[in-house]
């Protein structure tokens, strides 16, 4: 073999080695086999593009909306969240529904109550109001609904000291009482002080006579001084002769209307002990 032939063979071998090196470096890394035997493309951090020629999948039909059920579709941009493809019908809350969403039943609205004029009249009363109402002596008030009048009028028989939600919170004492009304589970209690006026009459029950006599007055009652009959609980009519600032040591002589007055008076400390009420048995 001559020298030129030897050089040509060496050049051919070098060219083959170079071609093999180029194949190993540039072509071979691009073709690999997946674990399951499928051939695919590998990238170097780039997202593979979609293969051309595949048709777009049609939109799947959505289930129809039914009354009372949430609307299909995932929530976005709301404070509530859901999974399973159902929107939370309440639109709020930090938790999400699972397995198709939570369905909440709407509670029926409360039935509308008819207006109660008596309840409204009680709620309209304010402390400081005066009312034309009194105890009839039959265990009931003279009217069903409060009737407000001027405190200087002749029929202003009671003064409202407070308005409460329970009669138990009203003070109790001589000449004090309460008037309450309950409607729809709500109670309005009017705390009352009797307004005593000279010339008016009260019902009373007398037991015994002479020095042993005892008089139990219905201080919240009012009656016609000339009434022919009185309720069975009572047997006397007392005439109011005086309403005074309470003295430090009250007695029957504190009720005297003139010097040497011999009238037999019955008296009570009312208005929390601040007022002296003087009465006598009505004689006509």
């Amino acid at each position: 073999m001559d020298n030129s032939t030897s050089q040509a063979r060496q050049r051919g071998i070098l060219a083959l080695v170079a071609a093999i090196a180029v194949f190993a470096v540039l072509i071979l890394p691009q073709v690999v086999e997946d674990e399951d035997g499928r051939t695919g493309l590998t990238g170097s951090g780039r997202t593979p593009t979609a293969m051309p020629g595949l048709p777009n999948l049609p939109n799947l039909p959505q289930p129809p909306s039914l009354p009372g059920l949430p609307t299909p579709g995932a929530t976005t941009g709301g404070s509530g969240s859901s999974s399973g493809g159902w929107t939370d019908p309440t639109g709020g809350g930090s938790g999400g529904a699972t397995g198709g969403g939570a369905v909440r039943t709407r509670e029926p609205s409360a039935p509308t109550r008819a207006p109660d004029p008596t309840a409204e009249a009680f709620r309209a009363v304010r402390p400081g109001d005066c009312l034309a109402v009194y105890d009839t002596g039959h265990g009931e008030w003279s009217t069903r609904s409060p009737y407000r009048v001027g405190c200087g009028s002749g029929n202003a028989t009671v003064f409202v000291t407070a308005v409460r939600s329970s009669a138990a919170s009203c003070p109790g004492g001589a000449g004090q009482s309460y008037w309450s009304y309950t409607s729809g589970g709500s109670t309005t209690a009017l705390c009352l002080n009797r307004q005593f006026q000279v010339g008016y009459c009260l019902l009373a029950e007398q037991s015994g006579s002479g020095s042993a006599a005892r008089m139990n007055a219905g201080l919240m009652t009012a009656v016609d001084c000339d009434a022919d009959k009185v309720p069975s609980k009572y047997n006397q009519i007392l005439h109011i002769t005086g309403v005074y600032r309470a003295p430090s040591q009250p007695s029957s002589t504190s009720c005297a209307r003139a010097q040497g007055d011999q009238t037999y008076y019955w008296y009570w400390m009312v208005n929390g002990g601040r007022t002296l009420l003087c009465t006598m048995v009505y004689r006509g």
Side-chain angles (χ1 to χ4, degrees), residues 115-129:
D116 188 340
T118 302
E120 293 174 2
F122 269 83
R123 287 193 289 265
V125 176
R126 297 290 181 267
D129 287 345

Side-chain angles (χ1 to χ4, degrees), residues 10 65 115 140 169 200 275:
Q10 290 177 354
S65 298
E140 60 186 7
S169 59
Y200 284 58
T275 302

Side-chain angles (χ1 to χ4, degrees), residues 193-261:
N193 262 21
R194 176 63 192 271
Q195 293 264 91
F196 297 101
Q197 300 186 52
V198 175
Y200 284 58
C201 287
L202 308 171
L203 293 167
E205 179 189 18
Q206 179 178 340
S207 60
S209 59
S211 60
R214 295 290 181 272
M215 192 73 73
N216 183 19
L219 296 176
M220 301 302 293
T221 65
V223 64
D224 184 354
C225 294
D226 293 314
D228 294 330
K229 295 178 61 177
V230 297
S232 57
K233 182 179 178 179
Y234 301 101
N235 56 18
Q236 289 286 15
I237 293 177
L238 297 181
H239 183 226
I240 299 174
T241 59
V243 181
Y244 310 109
R245 184 190 299 271
S248 57
Q249 300 204 354
S251 67
S252 59
T253 58
S254 303
C255 293
R257 289 171 287 172
Q259 189 174 3
D261 187 357

Side-chain angles (χ1 to χ4, degrees), residues 5-250:
T5 302
S6 176
Q7 290 178 348
R9 179 178 295 177
Q10 290 177 354
R11 285 196 297 270
I13 293 172
L14 290 174
L16 178 60
V17 170
I20 293 173
V22 170
F23 177 84
V25 173
L26 298 179
I27 304 302
L28 184 59
Q30 300 298 319
V31 180
V32 297
E33 186 170 305
D34 290 344
E35 292 179 357
D36 59 1
R38 296 174 299 171
T39 299
L41 297 177
T42 64
S44 56
R46 295 176 298 172
T47 303
T49 57
M51 297 181 66
L54 292 179
N56 294 325
L57 294 176
N59 293 326
L60 297 177
Q62 299 290 341
S65 298
L66 297 177
L69 293 179
T71 304
T75 56
T76 56
S79 59
S81 62
S82 66
S83 58
W86 295 95
T87 300
D88 183 355
T90 63
S94 58
T98 59
V103 178
R104 301 185 181 182
T105 304
R106 180 178 297 175
E107 295 183 2
S109 58
T112 303
R113 292 190 180 94
D116 188 340
T118 302
E120 293 174 2
F122 269 83
R123 287 193 289 265
V125 176
R126 297 290 181 267
D129 287 345
C130 287
L131 308 177
V133 65
Y134 57 89
D135 179 357
T136 64
H138 295 284
E140 60 186 7
W141 294 104
S142 58
T143 180
R144 288 185 46 123
S145 182
Y147 178 65
R148 292 179 289 174
V149 296
C151 290
S153 64
N155 58 351
T157 47
V158 296
F159 175 81
V160 180
T161 60
V163 179
R164 307 291 190 199
S165 59
S166 171
S169 59
C170 290
Q176 296 177 318
S177 189
Y178 65 87
W179 189 14
S180 66
Y181 185 81
T182 300
S183 177
S186 177
T187 298
T188 302
L190 310 179
C191 305
L192 308 176
N193 262 21
R194 176 63 192 271
Q195 293 264 91
F196 297 101
Q197 300 186 52
V198 175
Y200 284 58
C201 287
L202 308 171
L203 293 167
E205 179 189 18
Q206 179 178 340
S207 60
S209 59
S211 60
R214 295 290 181 272
M215 192 73 73
N216 183 19
L219 296 176
M220 301 302 293
T221 65
V223 64
D224 184 354
C225 294
D226 293 314
D228 294 330
K229 295 178 61 177
V230 297
S232 57
K233 182 179 178 179
Y234 301 101
N235 56 18
Q236 289 286 15
I237 293 177
L238 297 181
H239 183 226
I240 299 174
T241 59
V243 181
Y244 310 109
R245 184 190 299 271
S248 57
Q249 300 204 354

